[in-house]
Amino acid sequence: MYGWAGTILDVDLSCGKIRKEPFDQSLGKDYLGGRGINSRILFSEVRPGIDAASPDNLLIFGTGPLGGTVAPSANRMSVTAKSFAYPGIGMSNVGGSFGPELKWAGYDHVVIRGRAEEPVYIFIDDDTVTIRPAKHLWNRNTWETDRLIKNELGDPNIKVASIGPAGEKLVRFAVILFTMHRVAGMTGMGAVMGSKNLKAIAVRGTGSIRVADPKRMIALTREITNRIMQNPYYRYFSVHGSPASMLVADKAGILSIRNFQQASPWEGAVNFKKSSISQYYTRDKACHACPLHCSHFFEVKDGPYKGEKGEGVEGGLVYPFGPNLGNSSLESMFRILNLCNQYGMDTIELPFAIAAAMEWYQQGIITQKDTDGIELEWGNVDAIIAMIHKVGNREGFGDLLAEGGYRASLKIGGKAAEDYSHCKGMGMGSDDPRLMKAYVLSGSTSTIPGHHEEGYPPAISPEKMKTLIGTDREADPTSYEKAATTVYYQNLCTMTDAVEICKFISGWAEQEIHFQEAADLFSAATGIERDAEQMKLAAERINALERAFAVREGISREDDRFRGRIAREPIQGGPCKGEEIDPEKFESMLDRYYELRDWDVKTGIPSRAKLEMLGLDDVAKALSDMGKLPPQKNTPEYQEK
């Protein structure tokens, strides 16, 4: 077998049974790998309606067919389970070196089932897999856990994925930390891991991956890498990283400021200039096989956060913890990042919960008596840091916010619940979606609700738009003609997650890997020839499958929309003043999206014909047995419904 390692590792923590199953190559042909195969396993083996904390929930780690090879940025992996945060598939995609190490150890996927009676960790040492006690690691943060496991195993090069106290305490947005700084975030995968009493997975892989056509793989890698390094965005990401986009977003008027109460310009944005951020960088850091090296080690050498060292400050931190909280202290971001990583908490969902609480405090809905004496005023960095500790430990008021901003707002009720901006209970990445109608549509319909990396397309020229989707009408960000663009970029993002390459070198980030380049790399690695259309079809299959999983959990068209302030009010000022989500135009855009997907326009559920065309007959039967499959068009049942 080429490309894939050839084995799926299955660990049942309830009984301690460890099985190794041969990798079914037909899965790779239909679902490519990573996210796609994870979702297929989850749909097939997890029954509808289970609680995310149930031992019957699965936690699946999946690499892709390019993982561990020399292909550009072939380092990603997906973690999948039923989500703790919303009804549907929870998944997170993470880079670094853990995924390649897992493949070099001989495994494409690791399926964790059951629940250990006491805390444990799993050690994958090539062919030898053991379940080890971890009571001595419980209550340790992720950095301590990483160090202690490496000391215990006597190998500083072992790769460790672990949860911190937040995962142990089932904080709904708990994450999994890989090698201390790479994060599988947002959808509560750390909480699923904690519910299984699984503290960590350590892996040591000394093997390699066979590719079908090494010469073709090397030639493609050289050619695509050269194009990546010539791309205008290369220097931007490699030198400054994603946080440097703050001023651009501020100028465009799309920052969320103080929980979407205000619009750009933001007075604190000047502190986030590229040169200001870069002064803290000490050296670059690249994930395995990545020419972009967009991460950076940092050190704070003076001021109140002197001595703070770490890696991986991203836009997904500085936007939500910056303008969203009225926090203009760039220096504080490094302390905040390290704390979130050590506790194992998401840097988007956590600040959105804190932002909501700050607004409730501002409006007098809650007082210092409710917040354990903390003055939750906008921009109060000490209060933000204090709240991180409280949420990570589920202590006092932090226990409420550990449920996530949406659930916390429901418990408080009244105006707090009315104003909380979300999609299916999930926050968003601090870009205000009211200007960008494609973000509204993508966030409303993607597998991870509201996520900015699930198909929210870049700003591209009308000429390029016409080349990609056959029309230039969708280039205007304020236009409601966004259905074709959204389908294209959702499929592109799904495909990158399935072959497990980084989106930052894909067309989603205006970089060089689109469907054809991925098809060429897939073909060279596996020996199974694929073209662009076949890669799109695989992505379409994965999206339909994930949608079917959400449908099983009760999701329908009525849920496919943003709620709260951003759905009700226009932007109040700045260059985008007056932009809003027009309900009637949104519904028309949603209609068109369902039509292009061949999902039922009335319910948002994939049609039987579409599911069967994608080879998902069993999925169609499962939905039909539950009475959820819509009647087919041109039938009396369809007309009646």
Side-chain angles (χ1 to χ4, degrees):
M1 183 178 294
Y2 297 107
W4 296 284
T7 301
I8 295 178
L9 180 64
D10 191 307
V11 180
D12 189 331
L13 294 175
S14 293
C15 63
K17 187 175 181 181
I18 297 170
R19 292 183 298 138
K20 297 176 183 177
E21 302 288 343
F23 180 83
D24 181 353
Q25 201 171 53
S26 67
L27 283 175
K29 291 178 179 177
D30 288 342
Y31 301 94
L32 304 178
R35 168 180 170 175
I37 294 177
N38 282 5
S39 295
R40 177 69 260 190
I41 294 172
L42 196 76
F43 188 95
S44 298
E45 298 200 29
V46 169
R47 69 178 187 278
I50 69 162
D51 190 278
S54 165
D56 293 336
N57 195 5
L58 301 184
L59 180 65
I60 309 168
F61 297 74
T63 67
L66 302 180
T69 73
V70 298
S73 192
N75 56 66
R76 309 293 292 190
M77 67 180 300
S78 291
V79 185
T80 306
K82 182 175 179 182
S83 175
F84 249 79
Y86 57 88
I89 286 183
M91 59 185 180
S92 299
N93 190 266
V94 61
S97 55
F98 190 96
E101 190 84 8
L102 186 63
K103 282 193 73 175
W104 297 332
Y107 308 99
D108 297 289
H109 297 261
V110 178
V111 180
I112 311 291
R113 62 182 78 235
R115 175 188 294 147
E117 290 188 3
E118 295 187 332
V120 297
Y121 77 94
I122 298 170
F123 180 32
I124 302 170
D125 188 10
D126 286 332
D127 290 337
T128 304
V129 182
T130 53
I131 303 173
R132 298 183 170 217
K135 285 181 71 174
H136 61 301
L137 301 173
W138 213 247
N139 295 321
R140 296 283 191 171
N141 71 42
T142 59
W143 290 11
E144 293 170 333
T145 301
D146 187 279
R147 175 175 52 81
L148 288 168
I149 287 178
K150 287 175 177 173
N151 288 343
E152 187 169 302
L153 299 176
D155 185 347
N157 295 315
I158 281 174
K159 306 300 185 291
V160 177
S162 68
I163 59 170
E168 297 171 8
K169 294 176 170 58
L170 309 187
V171 173
R172 288 192 179 272
F173 41 82
V175 304
I176 303 172
L177 260 289
F178 292 76
T179 58
M180 295 177 60
H181 303 294
R182 305 261 69 85
V183 179
M186 281 202 79
T187 61
M189 296 298 96
V192 177
M193 195 158 158
S195 74
K196 295 184 175 302
N197 271 334
L198 179 60
K199 180 65 178 178
I201 300 175
V203 59
R204 176 166 53 203
T206 61
S208 60
I209 300 299
R210 298 172 66 210
V211 298
D213 191 338
K215 289 183 178 179
R216 184 182 180 191
M217 173 63 81
I218 291 172
L220 284 167
T221 298
R222 284 177 173 163
E223 186 248 328
I224 294 170
T225 298
N226 285 335
R227 285 165 49 192
I228 290 170
M229 296 179 71
Q230 296 299 317
N231 186 289
Y233 289 94
Y234 173 77
R235 178 172 170 75
Y236 186 87
F237 274 92
S238 63
V239 175
H240 305 293
S242 60
S245 60
M246 176 79 80
L247 288 184
V248 177
D250 184 58
K251 188 175 181 180
I254 58 174
L255 288 181
S256 163
I257 302 172
R258 298 182 179 87
N259 202 29
F260 296 105
Q261 292 186 96
Q262 297 175 232
S264 302
W266 177 50
E267 67 278 6
V270 67
N271 295 340
F272 292 80
K273 293 186 293 189
K274 289 185 289 188
S275 57
S276 300
I277 297 170
S278 299
Q279 68 175 315
Y280 294 99
Y281 294 163
T282 54
R283 60 190 170 95
D284 298 344
K285 173 67 187 298
C287 298
H288 166 80
C290 184
L292 200 57
H293 57 81
C294 66
S295 189
H296 306 271
F297 290 100
F298 62 77
E299 180 178 359
V300 181
K301 295 183 178 178
D302 51 33
Y305 308 108
K306 181 180 178 180
E308 206 70 44
K309 296 179 181 179
E311 184 229 319
V313 171
E314 295 185 346
L317 170 89
V318 299
Y319 282 38
F321 273 108
N324 191 46
L325 298 180
N327 173 22
S328 59
S329 168
L330 172 59
E331 296 83 356
S332 72
M333 297 298 163
F334 303 101
R335 169 69 58 83
I336 288 169
L337 173 64
N338 284 347
L339 283 175
C340 287
N341 283 351
Q342 289 164 1
Y343 275 107
M345 291 193 289
D346 185 64
T347 60
I348 291 178
E349 285 297 303
L350 171 59
F352 268 93
I354 297 175
M358 284 184 163
E359 185 174 342
W360 304 335
Y361 189 85
Q362 171 194 349
Q363 296 176 348
I365 296 173
I366 60 174
T367 67
Q368 269 184 271
K369 186 177 178 181
D370 301 297
T371 63
D372 310 320
I374 296 173
E375 295 182 10
L376 276 179
E377 294 173 338
W378 297 111
N380 184 342
V381 179
D382 291 339
I384 295 169
I385 290 176
M387 200 51 66
I388 292 172
H389 288 293
K390 283 192 168 291
V391 175
N393 288 314
R394 273 194 177 270
E395 176 185 290
F397 188 69
D399 187 49
L400 176 65
L401 297 189
E403 289 296 297
Y406 172 63
R407 286 180 172 83
S409 74
L410 294 180
K411 288 187 177 180
I412 291 179
K415 189 169 174 55
E418 290 174 13
D419 285 348
Y420 190 77
S421 298
H422 68 97
C423 179
K424 303 183 183 82
M426 292 288 286
M428 52 218 76
S430 270
D431 282 354
D432 192 322
R434 287 174 286 191
L435 169 70
M436 299 157 293
K437 306 311 188 260
Y439 187 12
V440 176
L441 183 59
S442 173
S444 298
T445 56
S446 59
T447 298
I448 303 176
H451 200 295
H452 58 292
E453 293 187 4
E454 284 292 298
Y456 163 31
I460 61 176
S461 68
E463 294 76 20
K464 190 165 186 178
M465 182 73 75
K466 188 169 186 178
T467 300
L468 292 178
I469 64 169
T471 175
D472 59 6
R473 293 199 305 271
E474 300 194 8
D476 177 2
T478 64
S479 164
Y480 285 83
E481 290 192 58
K482 294 296 183 188
T485 310
T486 299
V487 169
Y488 178 90
Y489 280 101
Q490 282 183 342
N491 284 344
L492 182 64
C493 289
T494 300
M495 184 271 296
T496 60
D497 286 348
V499 297
E500 297 296 354
I501 57 173
C502 183
K503 291 190 181 78
F504 281 4
I505 63 163
S506 77
W508 175 79
E510 280 285 79
Q511 264 286 0
E512 299 298 323
I513 296 187
H514 284 263
F515 291 102
Q516 188 57 57
E517 289 79 8
D520 292 340
L521 290 167
F522 179 92
S523 302
T526 66
I528 301 168
E529 286 297 324
R530 286 288 182 268
D531 60 24
E533 292 306 311
Q534 290 169 310
M535 300 301 274
K536 287 180 187 176
L537 186 65
E540 188 87 6
R541 181 178 296 113
I542 297 165
N543 279 316
L545 176 71
E546 292 171 350
R547 179 68 175 186
F549 188 99
V551 169
R552 287 194 332 188
E553 301 302 317
I555 294 298
S556 68
R557 174 174 181 138
E558 184 58 27
D559 303 291
D560 286 346
R561 63 202 66 233
F562 286 89
R563 308 280 186 183
R565 173 178 291 122
I566 59 170
R568 195 178 62 242
E569 300 177 0
I571 296 176
Q572 298 299 316
C576 302
K577 181 179 180 180
E579 283 291 341
E580 62 182 347
I581 302 173
D582 183 290
E584 188 173 333
K585 292 178 180 176
F586 171 77
E587 295 300 332
S588 296
M589 182 167 63
L590 191 58
D591 284 350
R592 181 58 180 152
Y593 172 86
Y594 292 145
E595 289 169 357
L596 290 177
R597 286 283 192 205
D598 196 4
W599 296 358
D600 181 59
V601 172
K602 296 179 181 176
T603 62
I605 297 174
S607 70
R608 179 187 293 276
K610 182 68 174 186
L611 291 171
E612 291 179 349
M613 185 277 285
L614 294 169
L616 298 172
D617 301 53
D618 64 314
V619 175
K621 182 178 186 307
L623 294 186
S624 178
D625 290 346
M626 295 178 72
K628 290 184 175 291
L629 201 63
Q632 299 196 69
K633 293 179 181 176
N634 304 319
T635 63
E637 293 81 5
Y638 182 83
Q639 298 302 327
E640 289 175 8
K641 188 164 184 176

